[in-house]
Amino acid sequence: MTITRRNFIRTATIAGTAGLLPLYLSRPAIAGYSYSAKDFSSPLAIPAEYHGRVENGKRVFDLAIQHGSTEFFNGYKTPTLGINGSYLGPVLRLKRGDEATFNVGNGLNKPTTMHWHGVNLPARMDGGPHQVIGVRKLWQPEFVIRQPASTLWYHSHLHQFTGPQVYQGLAGLFYIDDENSVKMDIPKTYGVDDIPLVIQDRNFNRDGSFRYISNMRDRMAGVHGSHILVNGVIRPQHHVARKQMRFRLLNGSNARIYNLKFSDNRAFVQIASDGGFLPQPIRLNRLRLAPAERAEIVVEFAHNEEVMLQHEPLPANNRGMGRMSMMMSANDRPFNIMRLLSKTPGGEIAGVPDQLATMPDWNEKQAAKTRRFQLNMAMGPGMMSGRGSGFTINRRSFDMGRIDEVVRLNDIEIWEFTNKSPMPHPVHIHDVQFRILSRNNRPPEANEHGLKDTVLVNPNETVRVITRFENYADETAAYMYHCHILEHEDQGMMAQFVVVS
Ligand code: C2O
Ligand code: CU
Ligand code: CU
């Protein structure tokens, strides 16, 4: 079904009377969530793959950051931002060993940055808040891909404006292939049985424009949209081509945590997390995915099935406590995300190999250091004024001029994050992939034994991770670590470290 202008506005009016917070001055265009399966009829968009071009032995990518206009609803043009397109960017495809060069042109009327999330690279090439690309300027980072096959991503990281820029569309996927991924017997034909799914949530104003922070709850809990987009499409459906499909999931939302399932509760197999393949495939029927986390899953289909990918509200400890829980649970209800149809899928169900990858053998005894970080959200006056000075790591709000930690090159370290706030925070560390040692002294879930760059830390939880800071040292350029709820990051829940030799 397509939304005609008339029922678009009618739905908006109904939503507008639904008892929303008084802080909603102008109302969301349409209340999402409540669509039935048959409303999922827009074809899923598959982003273009971009292999770059090889020039003097280097793989070169031209990325144009631009203003665009995207029709998420029929007849409504939403002003958006994109990379080589109007919303989001292409899937960049690189191989381990590639020397990559990027020509990142900023065609916006404001500064931006482009960060390579999950990549081990020199801090100057990281695209964090220090690598600002001015208006109409070109930024040309270069780095060598040294890490295993994985589904990474790239996005704007502009100081205090990461949230709005990503919301408007400045993000894309970044795939690394290696010998292991090329020869592994798993679905790997892009767009056929290997499909990216970038899941995002958005709010819209009545005129079709994005509606970003609109009240205190957005500021505190992060912006939760009532429309779910997959690869930039609202209410998508996809006809699966093969009996065995691989989906590469990215939670590209600013703040929302998903607990993914299929409508028939079918089991699926997770084969990869943030930093690449898991040691072994893990069978699941629910998958929690916090902002910035990735997971690759393999799902089996028979003939003539129709199944919805859905979100199921999380257990209470993933939602937050007390007053925050009220805010979060208002955000957390079940909804459909995408419809999958299998008429006559081809191919065979070959299963997936029992062993997928070997993990680095870092152990606690090798750790040169344990660093402890406390995550806080103060509900003080600074918070209520909207300046948000209450979002801190170790009681400090982000300061671009302050280096918080100094790490020695090649050291193995344990980083310990304790959440003293009433809501969960997905913590991300730049430059490295880590392994999770424990959650409140217990081993992590079976699907959390692979390489990660982002880990959800629940209220009253201490998560310990171990990693090695390899390959690049530069005392003059910093890497970030932060909460990946972009509104928290923008309000100061971020800090920086340097790696020195
Ligand atoms: Cu996904 Cu600091 O970023
Ligand atoms: Cu990052
Ligand atoms: Cu946070």
Side-chain angles (χ1 to χ4, degrees):
M1 174 190 125
T2 51
I3 300 244
T4 62
R5 189 180 176 92
R6 232 178 101 227
N7 68 32
F8 183 72
I9 288 168
R10 201 180 53 217
T11 322
T13 314
I14 294 165
T17 57
L20 298 166
L21 296 175
L23 281 163
Y24 280 86
L25 296 176
S26 64
R27 272 128 185 176
I30 306 184
Y33 298 122
S34 56
Y35 300 106
S36 69
K38 67 179 187 334
D39 295 329
F40 284 70
S41 55
S42 303
L44 177 73
I46 307 288
E49 263 187 306
Y50 185 21
H51 292 260
R53 61 194 137 84
V54 178
E55 231 171 56
N56 305 322
K58 295 191 169 172
R59 189 172 298 278
V60 183
F61 295 88
D62 298 319
L63 300 177
I65 302 174
Q66 53 194 241
H67 292 277
S69 157
T70 307
E71 201 169 324
F72 296 105
F73 298 102
N74 277 348
Y76 286 80
K77 298 242 188 288
T78 305
T80 49
L81 304 179
I83 302 112
N84 298 356
S86 74
Y87 182 74
L88 301 177
V91 173
L92 309 183
R93 293 212 73 153
L94 299 94
K95 288 200 244 350
R96 189 176 197 170
D98 274 351
E99 289 180 49
T101 303
F102 301 84
N103 300 310
V104 188
N106 178 8
L108 308 183
N109 54 20
K110 47 176 103 60
T112 189
T113 83
M114 199 46 74
H115 166 58
W116 320 105
H117 178 127
V119 182
N120 171 227
L121 41 49
R124 294 200 172 281
M125 308 299 171
D126 193 37
H130 295 278
Q131 286 87 42
V132 175
I133 317 171
V135 174
R136 306 273 154 199
K137 289 288 192 297
L138 188 66
W139 180 55
Q140 297 175 291
E142 289 193 355
F143 47 87
V144 179
I145 303 295
R146 300 185 190 272
Q147 65 205 89
S150 41
T151 299
L152 312 178
W153 62 304
Y154 57 102
H155 62 80
S156 157
H157 212 305
L158 186 65
H159 183 45
Q160 296 181 325
F161 293 94
T162 300
Q165 292 203 344
V166 171
Y167 206 80
Q168 291 174 86
L170 294 189
L173 286 162
F174 187 113
Y175 289 4
I176 298 175
D177 295 304
D178 68 4
E179 280 177 25
N180 186 29
S181 69
V182 165
K183 67 167 200 276
M184 193 182 291
D185 196 10
I186 50 169
K188 46 177 177 267
T189 309
Y190 184 83
V192 177
D193 60 9
D194 178 1
I195 308 256
L197 300 176
V198 179
I199 306 176
Q200 299 177 305
D201 58 337
R202 296 289 182 268
N203 286 316
F204 293 86
N205 293 310
R206 283 182 193 204
D207 62 0
S209 62
F210 281 138
R211 170 198 188 81
Y212 188 53
I213 291 181
S214 50
N215 57 32
M216 183 55 59
R217 187 178 74 186
D218 290 348
R219 216 164 248 127
M220 296 289 289
V223 175
H224 289 69
S226 57
H227 294 274
I228 311 297
L229 283 62
V230 183
N231 301 341
V233 178
I234 295 176
R235 282 167 285 131
Q237 75 167 356
H238 186 69
H239 289 272
V240 307
R242 299 274 162 84
K243 292 194 180 98
Q244 188 171 270
M245 298 289 292
R246 171 188 186 183
F247 296 112
R248 303 201 197 201
L249 305 159
L250 161 66
N251 182 346
S253 305
N254 282 31
R256 186 183 289 279
I257 302 169
Y258 298 92
N259 186 35
L260 302 171
K261 64 178 282 261
F262 291 98
S263 47
D264 58 0
N265 292 312
R266 72 180 54 196
F268 51 90
V269 172
Q270 185 176 349
I271 57 169
S273 58
D274 303 340
F277 291 111
L278 295 172
Q280 289 97 28
I282 302 294
R283 207 173 162 79
L284 301 167
N285 57 25
R286 297 289 183 284
L287 172 67
R288 186 189 68 198
L289 208 62
E293 285 188 306
R294 286 88 65 210
E296 297 182 31
I297 62 172
V298 173
V299 190
E300 294 173 4
F301 293 88
H303 286 279
N304 285 317
E305 288 188 315
E306 173 176 338
V307 61
M308 302 298 294
L309 177 65
Q310 301 177 318
H311 164 76
E312 176 177 273
L314 286 154
N317 70 324
N318 287 140
R319 272 209 320 257
M321 306 174 308
R323 202 172 130 208
M324 192 52 54
S325 172
M326 281 166 61
M327 289 191 190
M328 298 302 289
S329 55
N331 285 324
D332 205 11
R333 57 189 94 189
F335 49 79
N336 288 318
I337 297 173
M338 179 172 77
R339 175 157 71 161
L340 292 158
L341 299 162
S342 62
K343 276 224 169 71
T344 49
E348 292 301 315
I349 291 175
V352 295
D354 297 333
Q355 301 297 321
L356 300 171
T358 48
M359 294 296 114
D361 61 354
W362 310 314
N363 70 62
E364 301 192 37
K365 289 195 195 72
Q366 300 168 296
K369 204 157 202 162
T370 298
R371 296 179 202 259
R372 297 193 168 82
F373 303 98
Q374 210 183 86
L375 310 171
N376 276 98
M377 293 166 68
M379 307 276 192
M383 193 88 256
M384 299 320 277
S385 74
R387 284 180 23 257
S389 50
F391 289 96
T392 57
I393 297 177
N394 285 346
R395 304 265 172 207
R396 294 197 291 204
S397 190
F398 182 64
D399 178 348
M400 266 178 88
R402 181 188 72 226
I403 300 300
D404 297 275
E405 304 291 333
V406 178
V407 175
R408 292 181 59 95
L409 181 65
N410 290 325
D411 271 2
I412 291 171
E413 294 200 358
I414 295 169
W415 285 27
E416 198 175 290
F417 297 95
T418 300
N419 184 351
K420 292 287 190 188
S421 85
M423 66 172 284
H425 301 281
V427 173
H428 167 50
I429 311 175
H430 286 210
D431 184 45
V432 295
Q433 293 290 338
F434 50 75
R435 298 195 71 190
I436 303 173
L437 290 171
S438 62
R439 292 182 170 277
N440 279 350
N441 294 315
R442 282 188 292 272
E445 296 294 311
N447 66 335
E448 289 194 320
H449 286 265
L451 292 170
K452 297 278 294 163
D453 54 49
T454 305
V455 61
L456 190 67
V457 186
N458 285 305
N460 286 328
E461 191 174 43
T462 294
V463 176
R464 303 174 77 229
V465 307
I466 189 166
T467 191
R468 183 160 186 229
F469 295 82
E470 292 174 321
N471 296 323
Y472 307 102
D474 181 350
E475 60 183 19
T476 69
Y479 299 102
M480 308 295 127
Y481 55 105
H482 58 89
C483 174
H484 221 288
I485 291 177
L486 301 180
E487 291 70 37
H488 293 179
E489 171 188 334
D490 282 344
Q491 291 177 89
M493 196 180 268
M494 177 155 72
Q496 42 191 357
F497 67 98
V498 291
V499 178
V500 301
S501 50

